[in-house]
Amino acid sequence: MWIQPEEVLLAGALWVSERANPFFILQRRRGHGRGGGLSGLLVGTLDVVLDSSARVAPYRILLQTADSQIYWNIACGSSRKEITEHWDWLESNLLQTISIFDNDEDVTTFVKGKICGIIAEENRLKPSNEQEEDSGKFREAELKMRRLFGMPDEEKLVNYYSCSYWKGRVPRQGWLYLSVNHLCFYSFLLGKEVTLVVQWTEVTQLEKNATLLFPESIRVSTRHTEHFFSMFLNINDTFKLMEQLANIAMRQLLDNEAFAADRSLPKPCKTLKNVSVLKRDLDARAKNERYRAMFRLTQDERLDGHTDCTLWTPFAKMHVVGQLFISNNYICFNSKEEDLCQLIIPLREVSIVEKADSSSVLPCPVSISTKNKMTFLFANLKDRDFLVQRISDFLQRTPDSSWGDTSPLSLIGQSASSSVPSSSSAGSESVHKGRQYHSGLPTASQGLLQLYHQDALEDLGPKAMKEKMKEEAWNIHFSEFGRGVCMYRTSRTRELVLNGIPERLRGELWLLFSGAQNEMASHPGYYGDLVEQAMGLCSLATEEIERDLHRSMPEHRAFQNEMGIAALRRVLTAYAHRNPGIGYCQAMNIVTSVLLLYCTEEEAFWLLVALCERMLPDYYNTRVVGALVDQGVFEELTRAFLPLLYEHMQELGVISTISLSWFLTLFLSVMPFDSAVLLVDCFFYEGIKVTFQVALAVLHDNMDALLACSDEGEAMTILGRYLDNVVNKQTVAPPIPHLHALLTSGDEPPPEIDVFDLIKSSYEKFGSLRSDVIEQMRFKQRLKVIQSLEDTAKRSVVRAMMTESAFSIEELEELYCLFKSKHMTSCYWGSTSSAAERHDPSLPYLEQYRIDPVQFAQLFSALAPWTCGGHTSTLSARLFRLLDQNQDVLVNFKEFITGLSGMYHGDMTEKLKLLYKLHLPPALCPEEAESALEAAHFFTEDEPRGEDEKDGGGDNEEKKEVKDYKYYLRMWAKEKEPKRETIKDLPRMNQEQFIELCKTLYNMFSEEPLEQQLYHSIATVASLLLRIGEVGKKFNNGGKKTDIAAQAPPINPQGEEGPGEGLSGESQVCQALADAQLEPAAPQTPDDETKDDTSVSSYSVVSSGSLQCEDIADDTVLIGGGEQRRGSVLDVDWSITFEQVLASMLTEPPLVDYFEKKRDIQAKMAACKAQRAVERQTSSTSDHELTQHST
């Protein structure tokens, strides 16, 4: 590539000049390519050990002038072909021009300007999203990576590090390259080369550990091996990046989301020396994820920057030290001391941002006022002016919201769930448009619990008084800390939540703490539109929803009538329509029904969005991956906190059974409703850590009983009865019978456990759990879970295909891995169709991964036993069309194995049947054989003619007979029955199709040991089949003559016509064989012709039928035939059947032996794997370079 001209002082050191002229020198790096001796070995070793390995391309071009001692590096290349193109361009375009310059300085200036112009033009022509921002050094390192490992241009390098790779007990110093899809390592020490390529999708475990043998190393595990890397300059940074890349790969396996670089990153102030755009992108993603998780913000929120500051807290009368975060829609603050203070200010709520007067007590303050009259004072800001400018920029882009938090969500005495203030009646039309669909529904303005409690008389008992006191405590909190989205969240807030949220405030506070309030405010009318769009649509998700509607809290009277059921149906259907990737999953109905008790429909919908997409990621997809990941985390936590119990539970296999139902429904399905809902309160405030804490507390309370258990059933019973008796003694609602408790209660119920005591105990014993530690553990488990799911999928596929193919288990597993890797490669290196369309997790495992014709051709040429040289691609395309039964231009694994199994394990009849079908439509496309379709049309017209007459004769009889519905049902059932195809069902083959079949057969034998015998046999069979076709044609014409006398030709002309037409057919075959460009003219010109009658037969017909050909040589027949073909039209009457082809083939022992021969796929698969898991581009030893060597 052309590079910005750089000064080079010593042109000869470590380089060898290969070409030179008065102005330019082409040089090769010592140690690259063949030869080089000891100096080459030393330079190669130095390049690897020192930084130069990562950034020095093996070829370069220097600009030199006669008087100057300074050289200028103007181009570099990773292969000889690339650098030679640049050299040729310089010689043809610049050399003549600069030779007329008088001054050497002018030459240098002109060439440098020209090169800079070329680079600028290349950058201008690139699409805007491909503009290179990486430093020159980094681009050179990327080129080096592609050359060393044969990666295509689509593979982007993220970063590279110097480290040691432990091969056995010996460390190899070299360079670790981390690209988007691969981990690569290269080392070259004193002539010994080590190259390693690992796909991220193959990684099953990533661990950073320190042992005596491997001091502070990173272990990368795959299914079959482990790799250790150590001696990093900064091991933590490297490990974090590896985790990110492995996570992206797991996401790719899970839902086929290929990595897409973020093009909207802010530009850096200066180009960082060795940091790529992708590395900046991934660092920004990691920061964004932490920021969004900390403040429960939506997925599209992007952190712009953060700075240290202090916040004045009026409730504590003090300045709290922390960090201020600014993103496109929010200003957030988090104290350095945990739980001291957290604040979220949506920009839609901000009315004024101003710089306050600075003083020694309050340096550089900024005051932010909101629409609901709250003012926040930030101080000790380092770059106050820039900060205010950024906030004002974001404010200008923020649309005015007519229904934000301009007033608190609701007053305590009114409906707790009303999210639309009365002032919004004159709001935007879109809000009204979206809500019109259910403006009259009771569930549009209040939760189901309110509807069922409004008729109840005021209860003034002690429980009601307790509830009133809770409400009063929250009222005081609101007056002191604020209400709504901009509320100060402190340790006092957490205490109130742990004591239970009052029923009237539950919906409002769930929305607030989960972040759903912000999302709802920024999408007015969205839910209404979704409900209208989803109404009346039928899908797998809607069927499952209908099935589960009446199983959702059937014990609660809110769901014993159509009102509650209809609301639940609308929310679940709307979400399935919003997120078809998840659609609907069991357990969503239970969680949503609880949300609807306390919230309006729209609020319940946004809470469900927060749960499924942010708070419980991947929990509710088809394979409940998130819940399985957290199950693994729970096992790890049990081992850390309760080691004795863990070992015993592992033996019983209980943890995996219990945790799934606990986590998926947040204990709602296993605990009395009034108790479980308090855990939901804590969950919305604290996140998943509460669920883990409570689960550990439950195991701890039952430790003795569980340790005494002897089987899984006993342990499950103990835990089930314990959870059934977790009660909430403060609830004001009438008791709801718990179905699980009714089923599991014994004669002596165990003592009741107060849910508040359980929560308190969980915080006391396991409160040290931190969210960031849980996230780290989740990553580790995600690798395990997704890879184990992939293994399960593979086993299912192999089991299903065992009955349908003759491949062994090991062969099927290998083939599945090759097929899947071909699919995955297309995901990240692009293809003709998008990978997302080709991977559908809802399909059976056999049909999930699908490949397109290009990938199929690559696998076919690598694995198929029928190698046809240049004809292989044609045969591959035909087989693809034959296997693609639904014509979506994609083939799944089942179809792929069906085709491959036929070629390897079918008997001779099966193999020939497959070969025969490959030369008929749909395998033979119209472009390949237009006349084939004409012939087929001709046959279909001929045959029904007699039938039509028959039908016409019996028409009146049919009209008299009345068919009843049973007859049509029987006929329909018969049509639906899968028919076993027999050789008689195969259609006839016309002349053009037969010629294509002959071509294929001739190509197939080109690499066989018995090549000559096979060509001899196929020539014999071809001539025999041609004569069979001729005879059949005469019979067909004879039949037609009696039926349709007008169209029958006279007898004498027909007698002469046969041989004439025969000549055309023979000559077509001759020309086809000539077109195949194969050496075997042997069957056409054998020396022992006179001895072997069969070898002459195909030509004797031609000679006898043509007067001109009586005394000409055999090789002239071929040429004559070719001329005849050009002047002739295909014989549309000529055709043969599969039985005739099979019978003819059976007469030739060499052909029988060829098709009956058992072939081994193992060698082909080993060769396919040895090619590397990556698709190789032409590397440095290109064809061009090889030709250079040879010349």
Side-chain angles (χ1 to χ4, degrees):
M1 65 177 182
W2 300 109
I3 57 174
Q4 294 290 346
E6 294 176 339
E7 279 190 21
V8 177
L9 295 175
L10 293 170
L14 310 182
W15 293 84
V16 180
S17 296
E18 294 204 336
R19 292 190 189 182
N21 60 40
F23 297 99
F24 302 106
I25 307 172
L26 190 155
Q27 294 187 325
R28 172 175 58 81
R29 184 80 167 170
R30 286 184 193 274
H32 178 79
R34 298 175 184 176
L38 183 61
S39 63
L41 282 177
L42 289 170
V43 173
T45 303
L46 282 171
D47 277 351
V48 169
V49 175
L50 302 175
D51 189 32
S52 57
S53 163
R55 54 187 177 83
V56 176
Y59 298 96
R60 69 180 183 182
I61 296 175
L62 301 180
L63 165 68
Q64 62 162 6
T65 52
D67 300 336
S68 174
Q69 296 298 312
I70 296 173
Y71 297 82
W72 293 89
N73 189 4
I74 57 170
C76 68
S78 58
S79 69
R80 188 186 295 274
K81 183 181 178 183
E82 182 186 1
I83 206 72
T84 308
E85 285 173 1
H86 288 351
W87 179 266
D88 293 344
W89 187 89
L90 289 170
E91 284 193 329
S92 58
N93 291 285
L94 286 191
L95 203 56
Q96 197 172 357
T97 308
I98 59 179
S99 60
I100 59 172
F101 281 49
D102 297 329
N103 190 344
D104 285 345
E105 282 185 18
D106 291 347
V107 170
T108 307
T109 308
F110 176 77
V111 173
K112 283 165 66 178
K114 193 73 178 170
I115 299 301
C116 291
I118 291 170
I119 293 168
E121 183 65 15
E122 282 178 353
N123 287 337
R124 188 184 68 78
L125 292 173
K126 277 184 185 173
S128 58
N129 61 346
E130 287 182 19
Q131 290 288 337
E132 290 282 4
E133 293 179 34
D134 296 331
S135 66
K137 303 294 182 198
F138 195 89
R139 287 209 300 279
E140 286 174 21
E142 190 166 50
L143 277 174
K144 178 95 177 195
M145 179 204 74
R146 288 182 190 149
R147 181 179 64 79
L148 286 172
F149 306 106
M151 302 283 180
D153 289 343
E154 290 86 356
E155 186 67 2
K156 302 295 183 189
L157 179 65
V158 180
N159 216 345
Y160 60 97
Y161 303 92
S162 172
C163 71
S164 289
Y165 169 55
W166 292 78
K167 196 166 185 188
R169 296 194 173 192
V170 182
R172 300 296 179 95
Q173 186 65 26
W175 288 88
L176 180 70
Y177 297 87
L178 303 181
S179 70
V180 173
N181 304 297
H182 297 88
L183 174 152
C184 308
F185 178 84
Y186 180 77
S187 169
F188 180 86
L189 290 174
L190 298 174
K192 289 200 174 180
E193 190 178 48
V194 175
T195 307
L196 173 73
V197 178
V198 178
Q199 286 188 20
W200 288 117
T201 49
E202 294 300 315
V203 173
T204 56
Q205 199 172 0
L206 266 182
E207 268 188 326
K208 186 175 63 176
N209 49 23
T211 61
L212 195 62
L213 185 61
F214 302 116
E216 203 175 24
S217 62
I218 293 174
R219 182 175 71 176
V220 180
S221 305
T222 63
R223 285 179 178 81
H224 309 295
T225 184
E226 291 183 339
H227 307 284
F228 289 89
F229 302 92
S230 63
M231 309 285 285
F232 289 96
L233 194 63
N234 189 334
I235 194 167
N236 291 328
D237 280 1
T238 311
F239 187 68
K240 276 181 188 170
L241 180 58
M242 290 168 93
E243 278 190 329
Q244 268 187 293
L245 293 168
N247 235 337
I248 290 167
M250 291 308 106
R251 178 58 53 192
Q252 210 171 56
L253 281 175
L254 187 61
D255 51 20
N256 244 67
E257 279 183 14
F259 175 78
D262 191 344
R263 299 290 171 189
S264 54
L265 287 172
K267 295 274 187 285
C269 307
K270 58 179 181 178
T271 304
L272 301 168
K273 185 182 174 187
N274 281 333
V275 178
S276 66
V277 177
L278 278 176
K279 178 72 169 70
R280 284 179 46 232
D281 178 0
L282 289 168
D283 289 345
R285 283 177 193 226
K287 284 180 183 174
N288 279 334
E289 281 168 19
R290 284 197 297 273
Y291 168 64
R292 288 195 295 257
M294 190 187 295
F295 299 104
R296 304 272 169 79
L297 301 176
T298 55
Q299 295 296 326
D300 55 353
E301 202 57 33
R302 310 161 72 79
L303 180 64
D304 188 64
H306 58 90
T307 182
D308 292 336
C309 70
T310 59
L311 169 67
W312 172 253
T313 50
F315 53 88
K317 304 289 188 289
M318 61 184 279
H319 291 279
V320 175
V321 179
Q323 281 193 314
L324 182 71
F325 300 84
I326 296 174
S327 60
N328 43 337
N329 293 302
Y330 298 92
I331 299 168
C332 302
F333 174 86
N334 196 41
S335 62
K336 288 206 169 167
E337 189 182 330
E338 199 176 0
D339 278 344
L340 191 59
C341 182
Q342 195 184 67
L343 183 65
I344 300 169
I345 310 170
L347 289 178
R348 66 176 185 275
E349 292 300 309
V350 174
S351 55
I352 301 167
V353 179
E354 56 187 349
K355 291 181 270 190
D357 295 333
S358 192
S359 67
S360 57
V361 181
L362 206 64
C364 302
V366 168
S367 168
I368 298 175
S369 302
T370 63
K371 292 172 183 173
N372 57 355
K373 311 299 182 214
M374 288 181 79
T375 302
F376 304 97
L377 190 63
F378 298 94
N380 291 287
L381 293 159
K382 286 177 186 170
D383 197 345
R384 182 173 64 161
D385 294 341
F386 177 73
L387 181 77
V388 171
Q389 184 58 47
R390 288 303 290 160
I391 293 173
S392 62
D393 288 347
F394 283 125
L395 279 170
Q396 284 173 0
R397 296 178 214 160
T398 306
D400 287 331
S401 173
S402 59
W403 75 290
D405 282 300
T406 47
S407 60
L409 281 179
S410 57
L411 295 173
I412 202 134
Q414 296 175 352
S415 163
S417 307
S418 175
S419 63
V420 191
S422 55
S423 60
S424 70
S425 55
S428 66
E429 288 177 20
S430 65
V431 176
H432 284 286
K433 178 182 169 290
R435 299 191 171 182
Q436 204 168 6
Y437 80 102
H438 72 340
S439 54
L441 293 174
T443 50
S445 58
Q446 54 192 327
L448 288 168
L449 213 58
Q450 294 249 319
L451 290 170
Y452 287 95
H453 278 190
Q454 62 192 10
D455 302 331
L457 294 168
E458 185 107 10
D459 184 9
L460 298 173
K463 287 184 179 178
M465 289 304 293
K466 185 84 175 173
E467 187 78 359
K468 289 279 183 194
M469 285 167 67
K470 279 187 191 176
E471 288 179 10
E472 194 54 40
W474 275 99
N475 267 334
I476 294 164
H477 184 274
F478 290 147
S479 61
E480 202 172 331
F481 296 87
R483 188 171 188 174
V485 186
C486 300
M487 179 174 77
Y488 291 98
R489 302 169 198 210
T490 66
S491 52
R492 174 71 184 140
T493 316
R494 183 206 262 178
E495 283 172 28
L496 287 173
V497 171
L498 296 186
N499 287 330
I501 297 175
E503 281 192 359
R504 288 172 182 268
L505 295 175
R506 192 159 267 147
E508 175 189 338
L509 292 172
W510 281 359
L511 281 167
L512 179 64
F513 297 142
S514 66
Q517 175 62 48
N518 288 321
E519 210 164 357
M520 188 169 79
S522 53
H523 294 85
Y526 177 81
Y527 172 68
D529 293 340
L530 266 186
V531 171
E532 285 173 8
Q533 288 164 22
M535 211 174 283
L537 293 181
C538 281
S539 66
L540 183 64
T542 55
E543 286 173 21
E544 290 177 341
I545 288 167
E546 287 301 324
R547 189 185 62 214
D548 284 353
L549 282 175
H550 294 278
R551 302 178 192 170
S552 311
M553 293 190 69
E555 66 273 18
H556 198 290
R557 61 191 186 122
F559 296 99
Q560 291 168 355
N561 59 66
E562 189 49 38
M563 186 197 295
I565 295 291
L568 183 59
R569 179 187 291 115
R570 282 191 292 272
V571 173
L572 290 173
T573 310
Y575 186 76
H577 190 66
R578 166 193 165 88
N579 192 342
I582 290 177
Y584 170 77
C585 171
Q586 281 191 335
M588 281 171 75
N589 58 324
I590 295 170
V591 175
T592 310
S593 56
V594 173
L595 300 178
L596 279 167
L597 289 176
Y598 299 100
C599 309
T600 68
E601 267 184 53
E602 186 171 16
E603 291 167 350
F605 170 79
W606 286 113
L607 277 169
L608 187 62
V609 169
L611 269 174
C612 294
E613 295 171 19
R614 295 197 301 278
M615 300 188 76
L616 296 174
D618 300 323
Y619 258 59
Y620 299 108
N621 57 23
T622 47
R623 297 192 277 184
V624 292
V625 173
L628 291 171
V629 167
D630 281 352
Q631 176 183 298
V633 172
F634 182 54
E635 288 188 23
E636 216 172 314
L637 290 171
T638 310
R639 183 168 54 190
F641 286 104
L642 308 167
L644 279 175
L645 184 60
Y646 171 77
E647 287 176 19
H648 187 63
M649 296 281 273
Q650 282 295 95
E651 288 170 20
L652 301 179
V654 175
I655 295 180
S656 55
T657 313
I658 55 169
S659 51
L660 208 57
S661 59
W662 292 4
F663 296 150
L664 269 173
T665 62
L666 302 172
F667 288 96
L668 287 164
S669 63
V670 293
M671 216 183 253
F673 171 75
D674 295 321
S675 306
V677 83
L678 289 171
L679 298 182
V680 178
D681 292 345
C682 300
F683 169 78
F684 277 123
Y685 187 77
E686 291 272 37
I688 194 65
K689 64 171 274 191
V690 175
T691 315
F692 286 122
Q693 285 176 193
V694 172
L696 286 168
V698 169
L699 290 186
H700 184 270
D701 285 0
N702 292 280
M703 190 187 289
D704 295 336
L706 289 170
L707 285 171
C709 288
S710 56
D711 61 42
E712 182 188 357
E714 193 180 345
M716 294 290 291
T717 306
I718 288 167
L719 290 169
R721 294 186 71 187
Y722 176 87
L723 289 169
D724 290 338
N725 287 279
V726 175
V727 295
N728 176 6
K729 295 175 181 175
Q730 297 179 11
T731 181
V732 288
I736 300 166
H738 186 226
L739 292 183
H740 191 258
L742 295 174
L743 295 171
T744 58
S745 58
D747 299 331
E748 293 179 18
E752 290 184 340
I753 302 97
D754 193 325
V755 67
F756 292 102
D757 293 341
L758 179 62
I759 293 170
K760 187 181 174 185
S761 143
S762 78
Y763 271 89
E764 285 171 356
K765 289 167 187 163
F766 309 105
S768 57
L769 271 181
R770 291 170 54 86
S771 298
D772 54 345
V773 175
I774 289 171
E775 280 307 313
Q776 183 68 32
M777 293 166 82
R778 272 178 164 177
F779 161 73
K780 190 177 169 185
Q781 293 299 327
R782 194 174 292 118
L783 287 180
K784 280 186 190 172
V785 166
I786 292 177
Q787 295 293 15
S788 71
L789 285 172
E790 290 296 309
D791 291 341
T792 305
K794 181 167 76 174
R795 284 194 297 273
S796 302
V797 167
V798 169
R799 266 201 309 274
M801 290 308 298
M802 280 297 291
T803 54
E804 298 191 27
S805 78
F807 288 116
S808 68
I809 293 175
E810 293 76 19
E811 287 170 346
L812 282 171
E813 285 182 349
E814 282 294 333
L815 287 168
Y816 180 78
C817 291
L818 289 170
F819 189 88
K820 182 181 144 192
S821 77
K822 192 61 69 179
H823 168 90
M824 294 308 299
T825 304
S826 72
C827 294
Y828 45 73
W829 286 345
S831 184
T832 48
S833 57
S834 82
E837 290 170 14
R838 286 183 279 124
H839 180 257
D840 186 354
S842 64
L843 290 171
Y845 287 132
L846 275 171
E847 299 167 26
Q848 277 188 18
Y849 293 114
R850 295 178 285 175
I851 56 174
D852 60 22
V854 178
Q855 297 164 316
F856 182 84
Q858 292 165 355
L859 282 176
F860 181 86
S861 59
L863 298 172
W866 297 342
T867 49
C868 298
H871 197 63
T872 306
S873 57
T874 309
L875 201 63
S876 162
R878 288 176 188 166
L879 181 59
F880 184 90
R881 285 192 290 270
L882 184 67
L883 296 175
D884 181 20
Q885 292 172 353
N886 57 356
Q887 296 183 341
D888 59 354
V889 201
L890 294 170
V891 162
N892 62 40
F893 183 68
K894 184 180 179 180
E895 293 164 340
F896 173 72
I897 289 297
T898 305
L900 208 58
S901 185
M903 288 187 277
Y904 272 100
H905 298 295
D907 56 19
M908 182 177 177
T909 308
E910 289 297 319
K911 288 176 183 174
L912 284 174
K913 194 198 289 185
L914 177 61
L915 202 58
Y916 185 84
K917 281 184 185 174
L918 290 178
H919 297 85
L920 297 172
L924 197 75
C925 65
E927 291 79 19
E928 287 182 308
E930 288 176 9
S931 58
L933 295 179
E934 289 169 20
H937 182 61
F938 177 82
F939 291 133
T940 50
E941 273 188 345
D942 279 347
E943 288 166 15
R945 200 170 285 142
E947 289 172 21
D948 286 346
E949 289 170 13
K950 257 188 276 179
D951 289 348
D955 214 16
N956 299 330
E957 291 174 24
E958 275 204 31
K959 281 178 188 172
K960 292 172 192 172
E961 187 185 344
V962 180
K963 304 270 193 296
D964 66 347
Y965 73 94
K966 287 180 183 174
Y967 168 82
Y968 291 108
L969 280 173
R970 279 197 302 276
M971 294 298 290
W972 179 75
K974 212 177 248 185
E975 280 173 25
K976 288 286 176 188
E977 278 177 15
K979 293 176 184 173
R980 280 192 64 82
E981 188 181 56
T982 64
I983 57 175
K984 293 185 183 296
D985 297 329
L986 292 171
R988 298 176 74 87
M989 180 177 273
N990 68 22
Q991 203 168 71
E992 175 115 358
Q993 293 160 357
F994 175 67
I995 291 165
E996 289 296 328
L997 176 63
C998 290
K999 273 189 195 177
T1000 302
L1001 287 167
Y1002 262 73
N1003 278 287
M1004 275 170 74
F1005 306 141
S1006 60
E1007 294 174 18
E1008 287 298 314
L1010 301 173
E1011 207 173 338
Q1012 297 302 322
Q1013 290 94 316
L1014 285 164
Y1015 287 134
H1016 190 280
S1017 298
I1018 204 63
T1020 308
V1021 168
S1023 70
L1024 181 60
L1025 285 168
L1026 279 166
R1027 281 182 290 171
I1028 289 170
E1030 289 298 326
V1031 173
K1033 185 180 73 172
K1034 289 177 185 176
F1035 276 112
N1036 287 341
N1037 284 347
K1040 280 177 210 162
K1041 185 178 62 177
T1042 54
D1043 289 340
I1044 312 158
Q1047 291 185 13
I1051 294 170
N1052 289 340
Q1054 189 185 334
E1056 291 170 16
E1057 188 186 3
E1061 289 294 336
L1063 170 65
S1064 171
E1066 294 289 349
S1067 59
Q1068 298 251 1
V1069 175
C1070 293
Q1071 179 61 34
L1073 304 185
D1075 289 347
Q1077 295 179 345
L1078 300 158
E1079 11 168 290
Q1084 296 161 15
T1085 58
D1087 292 329
D1088 54 345
E1089 256 180 39
T1090 50
K1091 299 173 192 171
D1092 191 342
D1093 291 340
T1094 53
S1095 62
V1096 190
S1097 57
S1098 61
Y1099 308 105
S1100 58
V1101 177
V1102 183
S1103 302
S1104 63
S1106 172
L1107 296 172
Q1108 301 100 328
C1109 294
E1110 276 179 351
D1111 300 315
I1112 51 179
D1114 295 318
D1115 55 350
T1116 324
V1117 175
L1118 188 62
I1119 300 159
E1123 288 168 359
Q1124 179 69 23
R1125 183 187 184 191
R1126 280 191 285 276
S1128 66
V1129 180
L1130 276 170
D1131 187 351
V1132 291
D1133 289 340
W1134 189 98
S1135 69
I1136 53 171
T1137 64
F1138 175 69
E1139 289 108 311
Q1140 291 164 346
V1141 173
L1142 178 61
S1144 305
M1145 291 275 197
L1146 288 169
T1147 62
E1148 291 294 322
L1151 287 174
V1152 174
D1153 293 343
Y1154 176 84
F1155 283 107
E1156 289 286 4
K1157 183 180 173 184
K1158 294 289 178 192
R1159 298 181 185 273
D1160 183 21
I1161 198 172
Q1162 291 286 358
K1164 295 260 187 188
M1165 290 192 298
C1168 196
K1169 279 169 70 183
Q1171 283 176 356
R1172 280 275 159 93
V1174 294
E1175 294 297 326
R1176 293 279 185 176
Q1177 275 196 331
T1178 310
S1179 67
S1180 55
T1181 54
S1182 60
D1183 295 343
H1184 184 82
E1185 186 169 351
L1186 293 173
T1187 53
Q1188 289 280 335
H1189 280 302
S1190 60
T1191 51

